[in-house]
Amino acid sequence: MTKIAVVPGSFDPITMGHLDIIKRASKIFDEVKVVVMNNSSKNPLFDVNERMDLIAEVTQSIPNVKVDSFSGLLIDYSVEVKANAIIRGLRAVSDFEYEMQITSMNRFLNEDIETLFMVSNNQYSFLSSSIVKEVAKYKGNITGLVPEAVEKALYLKFQ
C-alpha cells in the first residue's frame, strides 16, 4: 500500500522552513503532495500558479514530491488523493493551539486520515512567509531564508 502524505499551506512564498518539512516528509512517505491551499481570507503576493511553479522548481530534486492546488476543505482534498496523513509543521508552542483546532475538525470530518506534526528545525523556528515578504519588500537580506529561486522572485515582485 502506497503511503501518501499531504503537506498543505499557502506557501506565499515557500521558505526554507517549509522545504525542510517537505524533505523530511519525503523520507517517510512514498509520495508527498505539496498542496497550495487557496485561502480566500488571505491576500497573496504570488498567485496560485506562481506559488506552484516556485514549489515545483525548488522540489524538483525530490522525486516523490508532487505539487498541486486546491480550493475547499483540506480533508476533502486528502480523501480525493487517497492520503494517509496530513503533515503540519510547528515552529513554536504558539502554533500548536491553532493546529490542534484544525486537526480536531479534520478528525471530526474523517477519522481515517491522521495529522502528524513535525517540529521545524531550530534554525527556522522564527521563520514565516509574512516575515520574509516584509524583509524583502524593504530590500533586506533574505539569503538562506528562502530558496534562491524564491529570493529572486520576491525581489522582482518588489521592484
Side-chain angles (χ1 to χ4, degrees):
M1 181 176 163
T2 303
K3 296 288 184 187
I4 300 171
V6 173
V7 179
S10 55
F11 303 105
D12 187 39
I14 188 170
T15 67
M16 295 304 279
H18 294 129
L19 193 54
D20 176 58
I21 297 293
I22 293 164
K23 285 178 179 178
R24 289 164 51 204
S26 76
K27 293 175 185 173
I28 300 169
F29 291 89
D30 300 314
E31 188 175 335
V32 175
K33 300 217 179 252
V34 180
V35 60
V36 177
M37 299 300 292
N38 195 0
N39 187 337
S40 59
S41 68
K42 292 187 177 182
N43 185 20
L45 178 64
F46 294 97
D47 68 34
V48 170
N49 289 329
E50 290 172 316
R51 287 180 270 161
M52 288 178 64
D53 289 346
L54 286 169
I55 296 166
E57 183 174 347
V58 303
T59 61
Q60 66 184 341
S61 66
I62 314 168
N64 61 333
V65 169
K66 307 287 184 254
V67 183
D68 204 354
S69 68
F70 190 74
S71 294
L73 295 175
L74 172 60
I75 202 72
D76 291 340
Y77 175 82
S78 300
V79 168
E80 186 179 301
V81 300
K82 298 177 176 49
N84 307 92
I86 297 167
I87 305 294
R88 302 295 297 183
L90 294 176
R91 292 171 294 197
V93 174
S94 56
D95 287 345
F96 183 76
E97 188 172 343
Y98 170 77
E99 293 296 344
M100 189 64 194
Q101 287 177 322
I102 300 298
T103 297
S104 296
M105 180 52 74
N106 285 338
R107 188 126 182 98
F108 173 79
L109 294 170
N110 187 319
E111 291 183 352
D112 295 329
I113 300 173
E114 293 294 337
T115 298
L116 304 176
F117 296 124
M118 285 189 143
V119 177
S120 70
N121 186 313
N122 283 343
Q123 73 187 90
Y124 307 125
S125 62
F126 68 94
L127 191 55
S128 72
S129 295
S130 299
I131 288 174
V132 167
K133 286 187 288 193
E134 188 71 12
V135 173
K137 180 179 179 180
Y138 295 104
K139 300 182 181 17
N141 182 10
I142 56 170
T143 301
L145 303 180
V146 293
E148 191 176 324
V150 175
E151 184 176 355
K152 288 177 184 173
L154 277 165
Y155 289 135
L156 281 172
K157 280 281 185 188
F158 290 122
Q159 275 188 344

